[in-house]
Amino acid sequence: MTRPPHAADRPGLNLFVCIKQVPDSAQIRVHPVTNTIMRQGVPTIVNPYDLFALEEALRLRDEYGGSVTVLSMGPPMAEEALRRALGIGADHAVLITDRRFAGADTLATSYALASALTTLGREQPIDMVLTGKQTIDGDTAQVGPGIARRLGLEQLTYVAAIDRVDPLRREIVVRRRSEGGVQVLASRLPCLVSVVEGLNEVRRGAVADVLRAARAEVVTWSATEAGVEDPMRCGLRGSPTVVRRVFAPSPRQERAQMVAVTGKRPSQLADAVLDLVLTQQPKLEAALADGPVRRNRP
Ligand SMILES: Cc1cc2nc3c(=O)[nH]c(=O)nc-3n(C[C@H](O)[C@H](O)[C@H](O)COP(=O)(O)OP(=O)(O)OC[C@H]3O[C@@H](n4cnc5c(N)ncnc54)[C@H](O)[C@@H]3O)c2cc1C
């Protein structure tokens, strides 16, 4: 069993980025019987959000020193996604692959990834784990918080900017995207940061890195080598979520209706729209009767 090089020779931050190989969304097909995404023969890409997470880690390494390790749980073909990350500039790559991981839901996925991070953390104490906000296939945004909970890390989700990191004072300040706007959060290292799209511009990767990526070793671990203590908590067996049916939603039937209203004040515009809606849905008027919305009846 091989391990990534020791961190002692690289002061700075030990940064770990979780990346997932996903089907190229334009080509997604669902298996009619198992209700799972058919991955064989479908072009794959690195989950776009994870590329922003990787770029952010590379920027932190360039600024504070240290190392960037990319980690993925997936079938052997996920090595491709890790090589892409090495080609962009990651220092080390670890693939955890095992038939026992198949069919994992987010609980089982975060368990397997947290186990591998614990094992890696023994060699390189974790300063920060970075993930994408979500994947474009499962789309649950649950794995990042699941890993943070399992490793006891501070979790900073939906991060739109990392404003300050102080490796010595173990401090971090981020801007987080939230419904009401932007929150500025101060927290402590080690932490997990899940990033939103567009917080940076993903670099192309220097030629030297692309060449190195082609030859570099991708450390490949089974569940046992990754330090998974209880294989029953992995894969389909470890997944309380049962995907009943995956299907493409039927396209909406109703057409949008254009309301042509010119030279009217906004309130009159609102009245005209309300008129149209209530004419088409008379029952709605009764329902609204108790609420704040009233039709201005002459
Ligand atoms: C259509 C569909 C619907 C699904 N619905 C559910 C559901 O409702 N509940 C459920 O529990 N599972 C669901 N799954 C399974 C789920 O996709 C897998 O558990 C998956 O491994 C992780 O969930 P996610 O894709 O939603 O990741 P998210 O939580 O959206 O991913 C967030 C981040 O975690 C990291 N990450 C996620 N997966 C990996 C990985 N394998 N390796 C490395 N890093 C990773 C990445 O940085 C990613 O950006 C669904 C799968 C599909 C295809």
Side-chain angles (χ1 to χ4, degrees):
M1 175 162 75
T2 55
R3 293 179 182 279
H6 212 287
D9 58 352
R10 279 170 152 259
L13 293 168
N14 294 326
L15 305 153
F16 298 84
V17 185
C18 296
I19 67 166
K20 187 182 179 189
Q21 184 183 52
V22 294
D24 180 347
S25 50
Q27 319 253 349
I28 284 190
R29 287 180 299 136
V30 177
H31 192 288
V33 179
T34 63
N35 281 325
T36 53
I37 295 239
M38 295 166 70
R39 297 181 189 273
Q40 289 312 345
V42 176
T44 57
I45 55 173
V46 176
N47 181 47
Y49 294 96
D50 304 347
L51 291 175
F52 291 112
L54 172 59
E55 174 59 33
E56 204 58 21
L58 295 173
R59 289 174 180 225
L60 291 170
R61 180 203 62 192
D62 297 347
E63 185 167 352
Y64 301 102
S67 74
V68 174
T69 301
V70 283
L71 170 67
S72 190
M73 178 196 92
M77 67 186 220
E79 179 177 328
E80 215 180 289
L82 290 166
R83 278 199 191 284
R84 168 107 204 272
L86 287 169
I88 294 175
D91 302 292
H92 315 295
V94 178
L95 172 63
I96 57 172
T97 186
D98 195 311
R99 297 190 70 71
R100 290 173 289 182
F101 292 152
D105 72 357
T106 56
L107 200 69
T109 300
S110 64
Y111 173 68
L113 290 169
S115 303
L117 284 162
T118 303
T119 303
L120 287 164
R122 289 200 195 97
E123 289 281 330
Q124 298 177 309
I126 296 174
D127 292 307
M128 201 184 298
V129 176
L130 296 100
T131 71
K133 165 179 80 123
Q134 63 190 77
T135 65
I136 59 169
D137 62 347
D139 218 6
T140 63
Q142 291 169 6
V143 171
I147 292 171
R149 182 77 184 76
R150 291 177 189 284
L151 298 182
L153 300 176
E154 302 288 333
Q155 58 176 279
L156 303 162
T157 56
Y158 298 89
V159 167
I162 296 182
D163 289 335
R164 189 173 66 80
V165 174
D166 186 326
L168 296 177
R169 298 163 70 91
R170 316 298 288 156
E171 292 169 351
I172 181 171
V173 176
V174 304
R175 269 172 285 148
R176 177 177 190 273
R177 192 184 292 168
S178 68
E179 258 133 50
V182 174
Q183 297 167 325
V184 178
L185 302 177
S187 185
R188 305 195 58 72
L189 303 181
C191 65
L192 179 133
V193 171
S194 86
V195 306
V196 297
E197 72 288 355
L199 84 166
N200 56 40
E201 203 172 316
V202 182
R203 67 191 66 187
R204 285 188 171 292
V207 175
D209 285 325
V210 175
L211 296 174
R212 178 176 60 82
R215 299 187 307 274
E217 181 205 5
V218 171
V219 173
T220 302
W221 284 345
S222 65
T224 316
E225 289 169 322
V228 166
E229 283 161 9
D230 180 359
M232 291 300 288
R233 294 172 65 187
C234 295
L236 210 49
R237 276 192 287 186
S239 299
T241 312
V242 178
V243 176
R244 283 244 174 281
R245 193 162 72 90
V246 180
F247 56 93
S250 42
R252 295 177 70 126
Q253 301 308 324
E254 68 275 9
R255 296 250 153 282
Q257 204 167 349
M258 300 307 285
V259 184
V261 181
T262 49
K264 294 224 164 117
R265 291 197 311 281
S267 60
Q268 292 169 313
L269 173 61
D271 283 347
V273 172
L274 193 60
D275 251 359
L276 193 67
V277 171
L278 295 181
T279 311
Q280 289 172 352
Q281 327 219 2
K283 286 206 192 80
L284 195 56
E285 181 147 18
L288 289 173
D290 310 333
V293 180
R294 296 257 180 304
R295 198 201 289 229
N296 287 340
R297 287 263 175 253

